[in-house]
Amino acid sequence: MQIDTAWRLLFGGMERDPQGLSARVRGIIAEAIETGLLASDMRVPSSRSLAEALGISRNTINAAYQHLIDDGLLVARERSGCFVASTDDRRASEHTDAGVAADKAGGWAARFAIRPSRMPQITKPRNWMDYPYPFLFGQFDPSLFPTNPWRESVKAASSVQEITRWARDMIDDDDPDLLNQLRHKVLPRRGIFAGPGEIIITIGSQHALSMLVQLLVGRDTPVGIENPGYPDVRHMVGIATTEMRPLTCDGFGVVPDAVFASRRVAFVTVGHQCPTTAVMPIGRRRALLDAAARHDVVLIEDDYESDLSVEGDADLPCLKSLDQADRVIYTGSFSKILAPGLRIGYVVAPKPVIDELRVLRRLMLRHPPTNNQRSLATFIQLGHYRQHLRRTATVLEERAARIADLLPKLLPVCRFRRDFGAKSFWIEGPPDLDSRDLVRRARDQGVLIEAGDIFFLDPAEGRRYFRLGFTSIATHRIEPGLRRLGALLRNEAV
């Protein structure tokens, strides 16, 4: 069995301590299985071929494999080799060892109030930057990050005087300079004019959404979510209430029908619906606001992909800018604009909501790191933010145009959608396509895509869908990556 690209990349960053090689091999494979990178029933390389590829002893590999078999993560099949244990095999192993595990772990499983680990998660290889064709959504592109302007901003925020300002315990306050920059230079681009006390900084939009669920959703609160939609919101809401329902959606997004009217809180992505990229037209946005006012529905607007377009969708007013009844709570983030690792997001809401969020946030973590807040405020103040938007948007639109031109030629069996300004394409394959299988086969060829089933309440509905992002793939790599993907869809050898 030859070692393919994916397996070589999996072990690419392994440390070479001879005293612990077997444990390192075992740990890498175990993590890949637990995160879904290695799927159930996938055959693993023979100990001989993996040892040769890694340049280590075959006995080292055999020892690692035996531990994984003992742990129920691998199964040995006579005359066939070793395979990743199926989910059923792993559950059986867990049940067999339940008594021993309970003794060792103190019976922790019985103590958990919730089991988040059992919820399906969006997973990407941790070493995705090592793959030549990463069609992933929302990931970091080092070539687009404004390194020198950011360094200048960090340096300016690191003077003795500045450190004195941001290093103290802010308790539940935010950096006043960042709030000021948001109010006057960032939010007005979206048509939002927030007053004092109407913004709170969060550790990314994920933190913002989590706090809003805790604040607004009780066990019996009727909540509506998009389907397909962002799976993490679905999980947050599902943990909080027994009254979660999918909202009716069509090609334009959420429909303000009887289902919508029956909810008290609705989570919506009207800018670029996740994952379909649908941009809700202005008429539907106004109808949604009218229905929310008539039926007393609070709207949580996740504008996760705003501020980064040259195609005109930035001119389409967001729900918050149209809201005359203080019924819309707006969440935004700098993760897609600058870098996910920055972890700065924000909520814009009526002051009573922000006041409660401040206390709730203080109970969690007091406040996000103020050095990052001050650096970002300086970055915006110096004009770097606006320049970065123009440069990045132009590059991304070039990539989008290239993909749109190539898809009909290279993936003719698929239908695709990308509404203006979106940073991904939503692909519908032929009826018999299993996108999970396609993801695995594509990864073996160095191509990373995202299966679509994770976005649906019923994964079977999304079996033939997948998402192509382009924020992290260089333009010159788009065509060869799509050619490989097209060959896989035609079941041809690459």
Side-chain angles (χ1 to χ4, degrees), residues 390-444:
R390 286 195 294 265
R391 173 175 174 264
T392 303
T394 301
V395 172
L396 293 182
E397 293 312 321
E398 178 186 357
R399 294 176 184 176
R402 185 68 178 139
I403 294 174
D405 180 60
L406 291 169
L407 282 177
K409 306 171 187 175
L410 302 181
L411 277 67
V413 298
C414 297
R415 300 169 60 187
F416 67 91
R417 175 173 187 168
R418 174 189 175 264
D419 281 26
F420 51 83
K423 311 307 176 295
S424 62
F425 287 76
W426 184 236
I427 313 292
E428 180 182 357
D432 60 346
L433 177 67
D434 180 349
S435 65
R436 285 281 167 186
D437 177 65
L438 178 64
V439 166
R440 290 191 289 269
R441 292 189 292 125
R443 187 175 61 234
D444 291 344

Side-chain angles (χ1 to χ4, degrees), residues 269-347:
T269 53
V270 303
H272 298 118
Q273 200 277 332
C274 174
T276 67
T277 81
V279 174
M280 186 180 290
I282 185 65
R284 174 69 63 81
R285 297 185 187 209
R286 295 188 187 280
L288 200 64
L289 285 170
D290 290 344
R294 288 196 309 273
H295 301 290
D296 193 26
V297 182
V298 171
L299 296 169
I300 311 297
E301 180 180 14
D302 183 3
D303 204 12
Y304 66 98
E305 210 180 47
S306 66
D307 240 5
L308 205 58
S309 176
V310 294
E311 293 179 298
D313 62 315
D315 298 328
L316 192 61
C318 61
L319 285 180
K320 183 64 178 175
S321 70
L322 299 171
D323 181 26
Q324 301 296 317
D326 281 347
R327 191 161 293 281
V328 177
I329 297 175
Y330 179 94
T331 68
S333 173
F334 290 93
S335 293
K336 304 295 186 294
I337 301 169
L338 279 173
L342 188 60
R343 306 314 307 153
I344 294 184
Y346 51 91
V347 177

Side-chain angles (χ1 to χ4, degrees), residues 441 445 483-484 486-494:
R441 292 189 292 125
Q445 299 296 331
R483 286 193 179 279
R484 292 189 176 212
L488 290 171
L489 282 164
R490 295 190 302 272
N491 292 314
E492 296 178 359
V494 178

Side-chain angles (χ1 to χ4, degrees), residues 50-322:
L50 185 56
E52 290 176 355
L54 299 181
I56 60 180
S57 165
R58 185 180 179 187
N59 289 337
T60 299
I61 303 298
N62 281 330
Y65 279 4
Q66 188 57 55
H67 274 290
L68 291 166
I69 291 171
D70 293 342
D71 291 341
L73 295 176
L74 295 182
V75 292
R77 297 175 183 168
E78 189 174 359
R79 297 182 181 179
S80 297
C82 286
F83 294 79
V84 176
S86 68
T87 303
D88 290 340
D89 289 336
R90 275 180 259 170
R91 284 174 181 165
S93 176
E94 289 171 4
H95 288 311
T96 300
D97 298 332
V100 176
D103 289 339
K104 289 182 178 180
W108 283 112
R111 299 174 185 269
F112 295 141
I114 57 174
R115 296 299 297 270
S117 63
R118 293 182 175 177
M119 297 174 174
Q121 309 291 329
I122 296 177
T123 58
K124 302 178 179 71
R126 297 294 178 91
N127 63 332
W128 65 264
M129 294 182 73
D130 295 332
Y131 287 75
Y133 310 109
F135 289 98
L136 298 178
F137 172 75
Q139 293 303 313
F140 172 69
D141 184 345
S143 71
L144 295 180
F145 186 77
T147 302
N148 289 332
W150 182 254
R151 284 175 173 169
E152 179 187 6
S153 303
V154 171
K155 183 178 180 180
S158 300
S159 68
V160 173
Q161 182 178 4
E162 288 296 294
I163 291 174
T164 301
R165 293 177 63 191
W166 59 251
R168 67 186 188 276
D169 182 2
M170 303 287 285
I171 304 176
D172 61 1
D173 284 339
D174 293 309
D175 183 83
D177 286 359
L178 181 55
L179 293 177
N180 185 59
Q181 295 301 319
L182 282 168
R183 288 181 60 202
H184 298 292
K185 293 187 179 179
V186 176
L187 291 172
R189 286 173 54 88
R190 304 297 292 135
I192 298 172
F193 298 92
E198 294 183 344
I199 306 174
I200 185 173
I201 306 300
T202 62
I203 301 182
S205 60
Q206 190 93 348
H207 178 216
L209 294 167
S210 177
M211 287 204 302
L212 289 169
V213 169
Q214 291 185 61
L215 184 66
L216 299 173
V217 180
R219 291 305 298 166
D220 300 320
T221 304
V223 179
I225 60 167
E226 296 172 333
N227 184 43
Y230 185 38
D232 286 356
V233 165
R234 182 172 73 237
H235 296 331
M236 293 176 197
V237 173
I239 289 172
T241 181
T242 59
E243 293 297 324
M244 181 180 72
R245 298 289 184 274
L247 299 168
T248 306
C249 296
D250 62 13
F252 298 116
V254 173
V255 177
D257 60 2
V259 176
F260 176 82
S262 70
R263 305 296 90 192
R264 287 298 168 262
V265 180
F267 288 81
V268 296
T269 53
V270 303
H272 298 118
Q273 200 277 332
C274 174
T276 67
T277 81
V279 174
M280 186 180 290
I282 185 65
R284 174 69 63 81
R285 297 185 187 209
R286 295 188 187 280
L288 200 64
L289 285 170
D290 290 344
R294 288 196 309 273
H295 301 290
D296 193 26
V297 182
V298 171
L299 296 169
I300 311 297
E301 180 180 14
D302 183 3
D303 204 12
Y304 66 98
E305 210 180 47
S306 66
D307 240 5
L308 205 58
S309 176
V310 294
E311 293 179 298
D313 62 315
D315 298 328
L316 192 61
C318 61
L319 285 180
K320 183 64 178 175
S321 70
L322 299 171

